[in-house]
Amino acid sequence: MTEEKKEKWYVGNNQIALIGRGESVNDTRGYTSGQVGKQQTAHLSHLDENEEYDADADADADADEANVKPMNDEEQPVDEAAEEEKIESLKPSQGCFCPKVKLAVWEPENDKQWDAVGKRIATRNLWASIPNLTCGFGVWLVWSVLASKIQLMHDEDPTVYPFSDWGSPGPTEYKTLLYTLPAVAGLSGGTLRIPNSFMTQVSGGRNVVYSTSVLLCIPMILVGFAMSNSDCPFNLLIAAALLSGVGGGSFASSMSNISFYYPKRQQGYALGMNGGIGNLGVSISQLFAPIFMSVSFGASPVSPAGIAGWPANAGWLWFPLCAGSAVAAFFWMSNQPQHGEKSTLLNHVYYYWMEILGMVAALCGVVVLVLTRDAEFIKTAGGAIGQKFMLVFICLIVEHFFMYFVVPSKVKVRVKKQIVIFKRKHTYIMTWLYIMCFGSFIGYSGAFPKLITDLFGYVKGCQPQGEDSDFIIGGSEADCVATGGTWDENFTNPNAPNVFAFAWLGAAVGSLIRPVGGTLSDKFGGARVTMVCIIWCTGAAFAQGVLVNRTRQLDQPEGNFGWFVFLQLNLFLTTGAMNGSTFRTIGVLFPPEESGAVLGWSSAIASYGAFIIPAMFGIAIKDGFPETTFYCLGGYYVSCGILNFWYYLRPGAEKPGV
């Protein structure tokens, strides 16, 4: 197809036809010439996305060329009456007191409609969406601080949370085991993002958002009751972590939903605000959950020895917040006119049907994890890492089977309409890049508190004979044994930093910078912002690896803690900014009817970082080489930089300026 033919746009019978592709933008009635131009530019920017086109449609369009006339403002006047009718139809949905749930029409690129009513409706939906997504992230990542609190209490009193159902693991194995909790939540959240990528279109955004917050109440109630018992089974905590994945899955539906409300020129801002402030749920968990867990609120200590600590309170922190957010979404959010069915009951049936199927798929992976925990092949680092990727593939295969064959027939039709995204090369490129951004951000968020505990909370040394002898930090194992002492590599560091004073900083920095990354991308282009951040985070990852390597060899590791936090915050800063820049790129790179599904799909795959990265750190800690994980991630970032430069930045790039 020639460039000349690509640029032929005609208007006739209230339809803009792109001759040469058989594509059209229907119902342009009421658009100004400038708005039509925006539609034209948007579709031309996606023209090369399909390398093949419909030859019959091309021929038909050429044959009809004589029946259409060049676009002319005088010949094609704006239908003001129709425009006003649309605006009037939206007014019942614009207020804050019981607004109409189903929008009559929605055209965010229509400037007149946007200024009259659209902006207010979009803003209300955005600010009702944000607290629900915040709760989703908070519940999903609360396990990062719960795991650290459990470990610290168990160190002081081995009779609290011994997890006898998993063989009462020893000190080193106990550290590794606790990485399982945020990892299981990550596995579940990643799997649930797949159906959530399509839920907004199937059930309606408002229905999905408030129903998700209702479901989030369940694992928090479970945590509140289960962790009040010092003999709480580890399998019960795994079940609660699995259910917490609902919060991780909600990101895909929430971001997809908000993307429909805003014009392209504000996609970076809208997605950045929703995702960035929503991500702050991680920091809220890591800052306030430890405070709640340190206050009794009149309850007796969980520890039989009376050690202070009430981990159950983390559940009671989030339960009322989730319930309140669900109420806000129920009353103040809307459903897009083209989303969902006419029956409210049927929309909810579809939502829970798809959510339960996603949970079953995640459960399959968790069951395999439990059954293979003592298998021979996972006793090596390579085998253990292979197991983690195997679990991801199991969940993906089961969930995709469900999506193709088990979902309701009407849902299947809607899903298949969006499967076109898998024919797009740039779907996979952007997914690879978004794994770097969000996968790293959420993985680091889940691992950061435990990393502080494991790297700086313990020291090596010798316990001399005699009950009154003080522990000697440092030295050699041979000298210790020669003098009759006992060598200990897991002695609690008396100078260890307070993990909970710093754990929340990383996610806070990454969350707050996300809207900035989106806004900068609106101005300078997402690919450019992403490239700068890739170079920055690659250097930080390799530097962190070097630092961790040196730190683990020190007798007093706390001396390097300041540098460790500094480099980790650099990683959070850059990955958080790229969360905003890559989502903006997706919003511009794909047409509106596809961008929501691509946003959901890419975030689904990337969220497995919440499972893979904490698991990789757990394996590396067990083997004694935690720096390996940073080196591997740094190498991965290099590959992302090459892809981003080749396809979007180099001279003659396939998609410049995105």
Side-chain angles (χ1 to χ4, degrees), residues 198-251:
F198 305 98
M199 277 184 185
T200 295
Q201 294 90 328
V202 170
S203 298
R206 172 257 197 181
N207 301 332
V208 171
V209 172
Y210 94 78
S211 297
T212 296
S213 292
V214 170
L215 287 180
L216 287 173
C217 294
I218 299 174
M220 292 300 93
I221 294 173
L222 190 58
V223 166
F225 285 111
M227 301 211 70
S228 299
N229 179 7
S230 64
D231 291 323
C232 171
F234 191 72
N235 284 332
L236 187 57
L237 296 185
I238 288 180
L242 177 72
L243 294 172
S244 299
V246 171
S250 68
F251 182 78

Side-chain angles (χ1 to χ4, degrees), residues 283-354:
S283 293
I284 292 173
S285 267
Q286 294 177 339
L287 177 61
F288 291 104
I291 296 174
F292 271 63
M293 291 188 290
S294 64
V295 179
S296 68
F297 295 106
S300 301
V302 181
S303 165
I307 301 299
W310 293 266
N313 290 347
W316 302 126
L317 163 66
W318 281 111
F319 167 66
L321 295 177
C322 292
S325 297
V327 172
F330 183 86
F331 284 107
W332 292 324
M333 291 193 72
S334 307
N335 291 327
Q336 288 279 323
Q338 74 276 22
H339 293 169
E341 303 293 333
K342 292 182 179 180
S343 167
T344 300
L345 176 61
L346 193 57
N347 287 330
H348 286 79
V349 168
Y350 286 169
Y351 167 78
Y352 285 104
W353 192 331
M354 295 176 71

Side-chain angles (χ1 to χ4, degrees), residues 160-487:
V160 64
Y161 306 128
F163 301 138
S164 55
D165 56 328
W166 276 60
S168 300
T172 301
E173 291 75 16
Y174 198 89
K175 291 182 191 177
T176 303
L177 179 64
L178 288 176
Y179 277 104
T180 304
L181 294 175
V184 165
L187 184 68
S188 175
T191 305
L192 284 167
R193 282 200 181 183
I194 298 172
N196 271 271
S197 300
F198 305 98
M199 277 184 185
T200 295
Q201 294 90 328
V202 170
S203 298
R206 172 257 197 181
N207 301 332
V208 171
V209 172
Y210 94 78
S211 297
T212 296
S213 292
V214 170
L215 287 180
L216 287 173
C217 294
I218 299 174
M220 292 300 93
I221 294 173
L222 190 58
V223 166
F225 285 111
M227 301 211 70
S228 299
N229 179 7
S230 64
D231 291 323
C232 171
F234 191 72
N235 284 332
L236 187 57
L237 296 185
I238 288 180
L242 177 72
L243 294 172
S244 299
V246 171
S250 68
F251 182 78
S253 53
S254 180
M255 296 295 276
S256 174
N257 181 52
I258 290 301
S259 72
F260 287 102
Y261 281 92
Y262 281 82
K264 279 186 176 293
R265 66 183 182 277
Q266 295 188 31
Q267 287 285 306
Y269 161 79
L271 296 175
M273 290 295 291
N274 192 53
I277 301 179
N279 287 168
L280 279 176
V282 181
S283 293
I284 292 173
S285 267
Q286 294 177 339
L287 177 61
F288 291 104
I291 296 174
F292 271 63
M293 291 188 290
S294 64
V295 179
S296 68
F297 295 106
S300 301
V302 181
S303 165
I307 301 299
W310 293 266
N313 290 347
W316 302 126
L317 163 66
W318 281 111
F319 167 66
L321 295 177
C322 292
S325 297
V327 172
F330 183 86
F331 284 107
W332 292 324
M333 291 193 72
S334 307
N335 291 327
Q336 288 279 323
Q338 74 276 22
H339 293 169
E341 303 293 333
K342 292 182 179 180
S343 167
T344 300
L345 176 61
L346 193 57
N347 287 330
H348 286 79
V349 168
Y350 286 169
Y351 167 78
Y352 285 104
W353 192 331
M354 295 176 71
E355 196 80 0
I356 290 171
L357 289 177
M359 191 65 68
V360 171
L363 178 62
C364 291
V366 173
V367 168
V368 174
L369 170 66
V370 173
L371 294 178
T372 60
R373 68 182 187 268
D374 296 322
E376 287 295 324
F377 76 93
I378 68 167
K379 294 183 178 178
T380 63
I385 292 173
Q387 181 210 32
K388 303 304 180 288
F389 281 97
M390 177 187 71
L391 297 175
V392 170
F393 286 125
I394 288 173
C395 293
L396 282 173
I397 291 170
V398 173
E399 177 56 26
H400 280 82
F401 174 83
F402 287 161
M403 293 295 290
Y404 274 96
F405 300 108
V406 186
V407 295
S409 57
K410 289 188 177 180
V411 177
K412 196 180 302 181
V413 170
R414 290 181 178 269
V415 169
K416 287 184 176 180
K417 285 182 180 179
Q418 297 179 66
I419 289 177
V420 66
I421 67 171
F422 298 115
K423 299 178 181 179
R424 309 286 192 245
K425 172 176 59 180
H426 292 279
T427 298
Y428 302 101
I429 295 171
M430 292 310 303
T431 298
W432 186 255
L433 294 179
Y434 197 61
I435 293 171
M436 165 190 62
C437 314
F438 185 77
S440 295
F441 167 79
I442 204 66
Y444 288 143
S445 297
F448 189 39
K450 272 279 288 164
L451 274 177
I452 294 175
T453 302
D454 291 342
L455 293 175
F456 302 98
Y458 303 92
V459 291
K460 302 175 184 178
C462 183
Q463 180 63 60
Q465 289 183 328
E467 294 183 2
D468 297 330
S469 300
D470 293 331
F471 186 85
I472 301 172
I473 297 176
S476 69
E477 184 176 2
D479 291 342
C480 177
V481 174
T483 59
T486 302
W487 182 255

